[in-house]
Amino acid sequence: MFDNGFFFRTFLLLWKAVPVTLEITGVSLAVGVILGFFIALARIHKIRVVSQISAFFVSFIRGTPIVLQILVIYSIIPSLLNAYFVSVGSSVNVFEINPIIYAFIVFSLNNAAGLSEVFRSALLTVNKGQLEAGYTSGLTYWQTYRRIIIPQALTVAIPNLCTATVNLIKNTSLAFMMTVKDITAVAKIEASYGYNYIEAYLDIFVIYIIICTVVQELFKMWEKRAVQYKAAA
């Protein structure tokens, strides 16, 4: 029988775990944007070696399940590092690292791979003559990108950037696999006491719907302002 009391009590409790989910999302998005942008530039300009490594990285991350990436980064790599430190007589204990650090790494790398393609496609929509025009005006490479190319490309990238952000928020629900006490982890813990998993999963569903809806509305506002600014310019 559906336990209404547990549903509403746990729903309020889970909001205390929302900051953890948002922290993972914020850090991963920030790192993903920076890393993804430079990967996109490396591939667009076909920088030797860097472009090839970037292409392999993007292909590997996008071609493997995120669950597998979690297992590799959270379980396999720390185990190998621990074995190495023990063999050399080091007192370093990699298992004392805060699990949220692993979450930052996993979701940042995963997000960077996806965003690199978003930025690459957006940057390619800007006419190459814009870069030359910047040079003619006396601007440096980075000044041209910051003042001319990025604002134009960003307007094109906003919808895909919104999709990537929403997907990132949903993917953070897997952080519980790294013992991070996010929304999903707290819900599963609460449900385990009385086997109220249906109520707990519905709580998770509602909270993620609310968060993702708010994020999508914020991106719509941003896109609307960007389009108005572009039209005015």
Side-chain angles (χ1 to χ4, degrees):
M1 184 178 293
F2 191 87
D3 190 337
N4 292 316
F6 177 87
F7 175 82
F8 290 108
R9 184 174 65 255
T10 304
F11 179 78
L12 296 176
L13 177 65
L14 293 187
W15 282 103
K16 296 181 179 180
V18 169
V20 176
T21 295
L22 295 181
E23 180 183 3
I24 296 173
T25 301
V27 172
S28 302
L29 185 60
V31 175
V33 166
I34 296 172
L35 184 57
F37 178 74
F38 285 107
I39 290 175
L41 285 183
R43 299 188 67 186
I44 288 174
H45 295 292
K46 299 180 180 179
I47 301 175
R48 187 176 300 177
V49 181
V50 178
S51 177
Q52 296 173 339
I53 294 174
S54 298
F56 173 78
F57 167 76
V58 172
S59 178
F60 175 80
I61 295 296
R62 298 185 71 189
T64 57
I66 191 170
V67 173
L68 177 61
Q69 296 165 23
I70 290 174
L71 293 175
V72 170
I73 294 176
Y74 180 68
S75 299
I76 297 177
I77 292 179
S79 297
L80 293 175
L81 287 176
N82 184 67
Y84 169 75
F85 289 133
V86 170
S87 67
V88 298
S90 174
S91 60
V92 176
N93 186 357
V94 296
F95 297 117
E96 291 181 349
I97 298 175
N98 191 326
I100 200 170
I101 301 299
Y102 292 107
F104 290 155
I105 295 172
V106 171
F107 296 118
S108 292
L109 294 178
N110 186 274
N111 197 43
L115 288 179
S116 69
E117 292 299 286
V118 171
F119 293 143
R120 189 164 72 97
S121 61
L123 290 170
L124 289 174
T125 63
V126 181
N127 194 301
K128 293 181 179 180
Q130 298 282 348
L131 188 59
E132 297 174 0
Y135 290 152
T136 304
S137 302
L139 299 176
T140 64
Y141 176 85
W142 291 112
Q143 287 175 333
T144 303
Y145 259 87
R146 182 169 59 86
R147 298 180 183 181
I148 300 175
I149 296 178
I150 291 179
Q152 296 181 59
L154 195 57
T155 302
V156 177
I158 290 176
N160 289 328
L161 187 57
C162 175
T163 300
T165 303
V166 171
N167 287 336
L168 172 60
I169 293 172
K170 292 186 291 185
N171 284 338
T172 60
S173 63
L174 295 173
F176 79 92
M177 296 180 63
M178 294 172 275
T179 68
V180 176
K181 291 187 177 181
D182 69 325
I183 298 171
T184 304
V186 173
K188 290 173 71 69
I189 292 171
E190 291 299 314
S192 64
Y193 297 125
Y195 295 96
N196 301 100
Y197 289 101
I198 294 178
E199 295 90 337
Y201 291 149
L202 282 175
D203 282 326
I204 296 172
F205 173 80
V206 173
I207 289 177
Y208 272 102
I209 284 291
I210 293 173
I211 295 174
C212 291
T213 299
V214 170
V215 169
Q216 290 179 81
E217 289 302 317
L218 290 174
F219 269 96
K220 285 181 181 178
M221 293 170 60
W222 182 19
E223 183 179 12
K224 184 177 180 180
R225 292 188 62 180
V227 170
Q228 290 176 344
Y229 176 80
K230 183 177 180 180

